[in-house]
């Protein structure tokens, strides 16, 4: 096909392409990315922009990485895909083994899924089916805390914040779950007691508690004490409730630990991973569980987990995921994330002096500036681009989650862009 000029491409985009979280046709013209390498996006009309978002937190090694490119090419020469029902292959088996080895101890079984939201669907289905298999179908509700986000498919929407989140439209249609107050940043025993009491009061009907450990992502980029995870583990054990950690955003080193659960030395019954799993190359996620959960389902009247995405265990994605994990663990990633954390502290500290800034916070390779008002996304984006950086502000937040290979000069540039976006937004 002949290459389109930029105007023609954007015209076709506006007429036919429905972008995420937007109307149809779109009201804001997207930037056109022509190529990407390292931490740079080459954008038509704007030159190179430093990617401060890691493509929604997934491209931890940056773009066009030779190791990941070689893994993809090598797998293409063997096979790009084969169904996973009744068949298996080395890339998926090796990936499952790697995930078990690197995850919190006790998570031994791996269900490979298409995306993070699907992995949460699978996790909640596991928990519901577990209790049905044990003859306790009344345990069919989920408990979470407010401020969370777990994806845009059906069951995950039900455990996103129904008031502050984006899924309020579906109130009265989605399953009604149990919500505790959002967790405070620091540990407060009074909140821990309320959390224990809420789980205890609803334990008879709860299949599971599901939370994002340590960092609540797209629901508001909030941080909370890891001690609350220990509280949840203890109260779930005491009252026969399963515990699910959604590590889709936090997994693979983003918070300074390989998985955020490690900050609390806690193992959940079920854990979801995605985003950075393939280094941002291909869509893939996984749901891990303990033998307790798998055995319970397998003893039921329907002794199978009736879920099977067409592209489950995709060999191409699995091969790249294995290479991405090798790349991560083959370097001192903790030192790199710590370096980014220090760089973001320095780069974002001036934001605290900007009118309208309510809070500035950093954890691992996550930097957040929170305003006291909803941001003007278009104006904030223009300001960041003018500084040579791609950011995606939302609600009252300007934030960054850069690739781990981001250098110190680019971190400083990201800081200037975040500050500029906060001023203009």
């Amino acid at each position: 096909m002949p290459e389109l000029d930029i105007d023609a491409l954007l015209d076709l985009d506006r007429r036919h392409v429905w972008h995420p979280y937007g109307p149809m046709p779109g009201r804001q013209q997207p930037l056109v990315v022509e190529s990407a390498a390292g931490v740079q996006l080459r954008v038509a009309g704007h030159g190179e922009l430093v990617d401060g978002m890691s493509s929604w937190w997934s491209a931890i090694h940056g773009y066009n990485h030779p190791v990941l490119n070689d893994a993809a090419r090598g797998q293409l020469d063997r096979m790009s895909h084969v169904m996973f029902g009744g068949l298996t292959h080395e890339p998926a088996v090796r990936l499952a083994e790697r995930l078990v080895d690197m995850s919190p101890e006790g998570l031994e079984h791996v269900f490979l899924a298409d995306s993070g939201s699907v992995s949460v669907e699978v996790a909640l289905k596991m928990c519901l089916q577990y209790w049905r298999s044990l003859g306790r179908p009344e345990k069919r509700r989920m408990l979470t805390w407010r401020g969370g986000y777990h994806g845009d498919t059906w069951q995950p929407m039900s455990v996103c914040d129904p008031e502050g989140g984006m899924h309020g439209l579906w109130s009265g249609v989605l399953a009604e779950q149990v919500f505790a107050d959002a967790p405070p940043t620091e540990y407060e025993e009074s909140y821990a007691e309320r959390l224990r009491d809420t789980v205890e009061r609803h334990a008879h009907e709860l299949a599971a508690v599901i939370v994002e450990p340590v960092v609540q992502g797209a629901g508001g980029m909030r941080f909370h004490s890891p001690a609350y995870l220990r509280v949840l583990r203890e109260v779930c054990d005491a009252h026969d409730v399963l515990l699910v950690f959604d590590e889709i955003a936090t997994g693979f080193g983003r918070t300074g630990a390989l998985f955020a659960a490690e900050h609390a030395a806690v193992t959940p019954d079920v854990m979801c991973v995605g985003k950075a799993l393939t280094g941002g190359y291909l869509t893939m996620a996984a749901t891990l569980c303990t033998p307790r959960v798998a055995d319970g389902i397998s003893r039921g009247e329907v002794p199978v987990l009736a879920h099977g995405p067409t592209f489950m265990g995709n060999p191409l994605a699995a091969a790249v995921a294995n290479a991405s994990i090798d790349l991560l663990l083959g370097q001192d990633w903790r030192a790199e994330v710590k370096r980014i954390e220090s760089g973001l502290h320095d780069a974002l500290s001036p934001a605290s002096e900007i009118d309208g800034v309510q809070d500035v916070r950093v954890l691992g390779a996550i930097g957040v500036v929170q305003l006291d008002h909803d941001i003007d996304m278009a104006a904030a984006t223009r300001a960041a681009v003018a500084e040579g950086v791609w950011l995606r502000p939302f609600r009252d937040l300007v934030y960054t989650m850069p690739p781990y290979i981001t250098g110190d000069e680019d971190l400083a540039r990201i800081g200037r862009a975040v500050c500029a976006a906060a001023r203009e937004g």
Side-chain angles (χ1 to χ4, degrees):
M1 295 179 65
E3 188 170 331
L4 295 169
D5 65 42
I6 298 302
D7 289 339
L9 187 149
L10 287 170
D11 179 62
L12 287 171
D13 182 279
R14 185 176 186 279
R15 285 193 280 142
H16 301 303
V17 179
W18 205 326
H19 285 268
Y21 309 116
M24 187 69 221
R27 299 192 186 103
Q28 294 183 4
Q29 182 170 285
L31 303 183
V32 177
V33 180
E34 298 173 330
S35 64
V39 299
Q40 304 280 350
L41 306 177
R42 180 170 290 280
V43 178
H46 296 280
E48 292 187 338
L49 302 181
V50 175
D51 180 15
M53 304 304 294
S54 300
S55 279
W56 267 335
W57 329 338
S58 63
I60 57 174
H61 307 298
Y63 299 94
N64 206 14
H65 197 290
V67 171
L68 303 187
N69 289 356
D70 286 346
R73 290 192 192 99
Q75 186 57 43
L76 277 172
D77 289 338
R78 291 185 288 274
M79 60 179 171
S80 61
H81 183 61
V82 64
M83 67 183 289
F84 214 47
L87 301 174
T88 195
H89 48 80
E90 184 174 347
V93 173
R94 286 193 178 277
L95 178 58
E97 179 189 33
R98 297 299 300 278
L99 289 173
V100 168
D101 288 346
M102 68 193 299
S103 298
E105 187 174 355
L107 295 166
E108 297 183 13
H109 306 299
V110 181
F111 188 98
L112 297 170
D114 308 64
S115 68
S117 186
V118 174
S119 76
V120 176
E121 290 276 3
V122 171
L124 300 185
K125 181 182 283 189
M126 281 180 175
C127 296
L128 292 168
Q129 190 169 346
Y130 172 84
W131 291 113
R132 285 175 179 266
S133 296
L134 269 58
R136 301 184 65 183
E138 72 280 3
K139 291 175 75 66
R140 58 180 180 81
R141 298 183 75 187
M142 305 293 163
L143 183 146
T144 188
W145 42 38
R146 293 190 178 276
Y149 172 82
H150 299 278
D152 298 335
T153 52
W154 202 246
Q155 281 280 18
M157 285 199 301
S158 75
V159 287
C160 297
D161 194 318
E163 294 179 2
M166 67 182 79
H167 301 313
L169 171 67
W170 302 107
S171 177
V173 181
L174 294 170
E176 293 187 5
Q177 312 294 11
V178 180
F179 289 87
D181 293 338
T185 302
E186 303 298 331
Y187 182 79
E188 297 176 10
E189 182 57 31
S190 59
Y191 175 81
E193 280 302 315
R194 293 199 304 276
L195 198 58
R196 294 185 187 100
D197 178 67
T198 304
V199 175
E200 182 177 358
R201 282 188 290 108
H202 291 276
H204 65 284
E205 61 178 343
L206 290 181
V209 172
I210 177 170
V211 296
E212 299 159 281
V214 179
V215 178
Q216 292 182 293
M221 304 304 297
R222 300 178 189 85
F223 306 157
H224 58 260
S225 169
Y228 293 129
L229 307 180
R230 291 190 288 272
V231 170
L232 287 175
R233 181 71 279 175
E234 291 164 5
V235 72
C236 285
D237 287 343
H239 297 286
D240 218 10
V241 176
L242 298 176
L243 180 60
V244 181
F245 284 170
D246 177 349
E247 292 252 16
I248 293 163
T250 52
F252 306 102
R254 181 59 68 177
T255 68
L258 200 53
F259 297 98
E262 294 176 13
H263 290 294
V266 163
T267 297
D269 299 291
V270 181
M271 186 174 83
C272 302
V273 298
K275 288 196 180 292
L277 176 59
T278 69
Y281 267 55
L282 293 153
T283 180
M284 192 178 219
T287 307
L288 291 82
C289 73
T290 62
R292 172 194 176 189
V293 175
D295 293 347
I297 291 171
S298 299
R299 290 199 307 268
E301 181 180 352
V302 179
V304 300
L305 182 63
H307 203 99
T310 299
F311 290 95
M312 179 179 180
N314 175 257
L316 188 57
V320 176
N322 283 320
S324 179
I325 291 170
D326 286 342
L327 201 56
L328 180 67
L329 300 185
Q331 61 179 313
D332 191 353
W333 63 267
R334 291 182 191 274
E336 288 303 292
V337 172
K338 193 68 177 175
R339 175 186 61 81
I340 290 173
E341 183 177 59
S342 177
L344 289 178
H345 269 298
D346 293 342
L348 298 183
S349 61
S352 61
E353 303 300 320
I354 297 172
D355 287 345
V357 168
Q358 190 174 64
D359 188 38
V360 179
R361 49 189 181 269
V362 175
L363 176 67
I366 307 169
V368 184
V369 172
Q370 186 167 8
L371 307 179
D372 60 9
H373 57 275
D374 283 348
I375 198 157
D376 181 333
M377 183 186 290
T381 300
R382 285 194 300 270
V385 169
E387 294 289 341
V389 176
W390 170 247
L391 298 173
R392 180 72 171 173
F394 74 105
R395 284 174 33 179
D396 57 349
L397 302 169
V398 186
Y399 76 100
T400 179
M401 294 173 77
Y404 301 166
I405 64 168
T406 306
D408 294 343
E409 289 185 9
D410 285 333
L411 287 174
R413 181 184 290 271
I414 289 172
R416 292 193 295 272
V418 169
C419 290
R423 288 190 195 94
E424 294 300 318

